[in-house]
Amino acid sequence: MLQGRSTFGERASWLLRLPLETPTVPFEDEASGCTLWLKLDHLLPSGCTKDRMATSIVAHAIASGEVSPSTVVVEASSGSTSIALSMVCATVGLPFRAYMPKTVSGERVLMIRRLGGDVVLTPAELGMDGAVAAMLRDWATEPDLYAARQFENPRNVFAHRHSTGPELIEQVGVRLDGFVAGVGTGGTLMGVAHALRDHGHDTVVARAMPVATGTADGRPEVAGGIPGIVDGMSRLLDPAAVGLAEAVLVPEPEALSTAREFGRRGLGIGPSSGLNIAAARRLAARLGPGHHVATVLPDRMERYFSTALFDDVAAEL
């Protein structure tokens, strides 16, 4: 529904009817002898699984009265959450402002601006910490701002617990032995893990963690690693609550090569999807032949044209 003459309330109610269901497809992994189940969240409207969280957060904020037609929604992110929020806010006619470190890919900035959002670029050397600090500073001093706070907002986990997880369980149709996902906010991993536990599954749930993310002084960092994956910022990640297993470590080059491999298989995915598939393969090898391991493919490749993901083909241009 485009805005037209519809009221703010009508547009807000339509958010809950956005088509956010995606298919899950099997992949027979010859090396491990296991079946990998890939949930294709890169097919969501903005091209990212963050649509689920963004819709949940904004719809709830409107329903609770925290957001009015004049409210500016703000968020600090490496890009994908801000793209999803800019789409959702444009749908209901809300202004949106993103805070991002200068090291994010230009494609992400262009997508946010095309969807009507504003972008504040923060110093590259401060990473995500600098983007969050800038957002919180404005939130504390400017009137009528609503901070989505993806790293701590419980609606993030709620969205995946009540949509991604149940969809995955129903679509796979067999008992899952393993589930892996990378962590930025932790919403996908925690939400799906809760859904698996809600359904009585004793699935091995593990975090997919790229090797060599972080700055030299140990601060969590997005740029230079796998975009969207960052350690130490999530306030939603609670390993004890869902019984997380030992993390699955994946070298960053393996994550990129896996994303490229599955691109050649017809899935136009980004680096974090490559990380998740590579981690699913490694967990499958750990479990042994005959098991079923699932993961989510978070986003599409278009926002990474200027990144290392395309280094192997960009030289031809």
Side-chain angles (χ1 to χ4, degrees), residues 14-53:
W14 186 78
L15 280 181
L16 300 178
R17 301 195 296 274
L18 279 175
L20 297 182
E21 184 170 337
T22 60
T24 299
V25 299
F27 174 77
E28 301 302 328
D29 184 49
E30 294 182 2
S32 66
C34 293
T35 302
L36 307 184
W37 294 90
L38 311 178
K39 185 151 187 56
L40 308 184
D41 267 21
H42 68 297
L43 300 181
L44 285 168
S46 85
C48 184
T49 191
K50 301 293 188 180
D51 289 1
R52 299 178 186 269
M53 170 185 68

Side-chain angles (χ1 to χ4, degrees), residues 19-190:
L20 297 182
E21 184 170 337
T22 60
T24 299
V25 299
F27 174 77
E28 301 302 328
D29 184 49
E30 294 182 2
S32 66
C34 293
T35 302
L36 307 184
W37 294 90
L38 311 178
K39 185 151 187 56
L40 308 184
D41 267 21
H42 68 297
L43 300 181
L44 285 168
S46 85
C48 184
T49 191
K50 301 293 188 180
D51 289 1
R52 299 178 186 269
M53 170 185 68
T55 301
S56 176
I57 288 175
V58 174
H60 182 263
I62 292 172
S64 67
E66 295 175 272
V67 167
S68 69
S70 62
T71 303
V72 179
V73 178
V74 296
E75 182 59 295
S77 87
S78 63
S80 289
T81 296
S82 290
I83 293 169
L85 282 168
S86 60
M87 179 196 73
V88 169
C89 288
T91 300
V92 295
L94 285 170
F96 173 71
R97 185 191 306 162
Y99 296 77
M100 305 162 69
K102 287 184 178 179
T103 43
V104 300
S105 66
E107 292 90 338
R108 295 180 174 214
V109 175
L110 292 176
M111 291 174 74
I112 294 165
R113 288 175 174 165
R114 177 55 64 215
L115 289 166
D118 292 327
V119 177
V120 175
L121 293 175
T122 56
E125 64 273 15
L126 298 181
M128 275 301 301
D129 287 338
V132 171
M135 185 269 289
L136 292 176
R137 181 180 62 247
D138 288 352
W139 183 39
T141 57
E142 293 185 31
D144 207 10
L145 295 189
Y146 173 79
R149 298 174 295 111
Q150 61 172 326
F151 293 100
E152 59 186 280
N153 194 321
R155 300 297 300 188
N156 184 346
V157 174
F158 180 93
H160 294 287
R161 184 173 188 169
H162 295 283
S163 65
T164 320
E167 281 176 32
L168 177 66
I169 292 166
E170 180 180 0
Q171 291 166 345
V172 169
V174 298
R175 197 172 189 86
L176 283 172
D177 302 296
F179 176 79
V180 294
V183 169
T185 67
T188 301
L189 184 65
M190 291 299 298

Side-chain angles (χ1 to χ4, degrees), residues 226 251-261 271 274-275 308-309:
I226 302 298
E252 288 179 8
E254 182 180 331
L256 290 178
S257 65
T258 302
R260 293 167 182 156
E261 173 196 342
L275 168 70
L309 180 62

